[in-house]
Amino acid sequence: MGARNLMSHAIVVDDLPPSVAEFVRGEGRARGLMDPLPAVTHGLRTEEETMNRESRGGPTSDRFVVEMLLTPELLIVAHRQSDDAETDPGARVRFHRLDQVGLVDAGSEKAATARLAMPAKSIPVTSTPLGGAKRATYQLPIAIDPDVQRFRDALTAAVEQARV
């Protein structure tokens, strides 16, 4: 793999491409949820582009987009490789109930180990997504940006509130 460009910035629901918004709604309906988008309080988009060196035909690039949307009850994570979810067969959405989400405490020994493994490039979230069979830890990619810390703070507060 060659160069990697990672950018994160805050978003609102209206920033979602229409096909992505409909994809989130449809996947939510499939899991018995009402439209979760009107309840979104915070959003963060991370775009990652990697340049790969090819031996023949020149370099190629891959683009990945992850949107994290926070509601008072859910963390919604949408992954795709293009701006149009309809044209990406690998597009997926996971819905995590906040009262079941585990976040690594930034001051803990476990967090220090996680930072060594994934230094400031992800938000580790442990959860069983709706419709999922087992609990897993997901490394949500991020770049270093003030919007990331605001989203992380909002997510931490929402998870704590959901457990009360």
Side-chain angles (χ1 to χ4, degrees), residues 15-137:
D15 293 331
L16 293 173
S19 67
V20 173
E22 189 50 43
F23 183 61
V24 169
R25 287 182 184 106
E27 291 295 307
R29 282 190 300 272
R31 288 165 180 79
L33 299 173
M34 305 245 336
D35 181 1
L37 296 181
V40 169
T41 59
H42 294 80
L44 186 71
R45 175 181 291 142
T46 297
E47 299 175 58
E48 177 180 14
E49 187 169 8
T50 56
M51 297 294 292
N52 300 307
R53 294 180 183 218
E54 294 287 323
S55 59
R56 292 187 267 168
T60 61
S61 68
D62 293 314
R63 181 169 181 261
F64 301 94
V65 179
V66 176
E67 276 120 355
M68 294 170 262
L69 305 169
L70 184 60
T71 77
E73 297 177 358
L74 296 170
L75 170 63
I76 304 163
V77 182
H79 301 262
R80 63 185 192 288
Q81 286 187 291
S82 71
D83 286 329
D84 186 355
E86 294 173 358
T87 63
D88 181 2
R92 65 189 181 279
V93 177
R94 290 188 177 109
F95 299 89
H96 304 275
R97 292 215 182 272
L98 293 178
D99 61 353
Q100 297 177 9
V101 166
L103 299 173
V104 176
D105 176 18
S108 72
E109 185 175 322
K110 186 176 181 182
T113 304
R115 280 194 302 276
L116 292 175
M118 300 290 277
K121 298 285 187 203
S122 68
I123 299 174
V125 172
T126 302
S127 174
T128 303
L130 289 177
K134 64 183 199 177
R135 193 165 174 83
T137 298

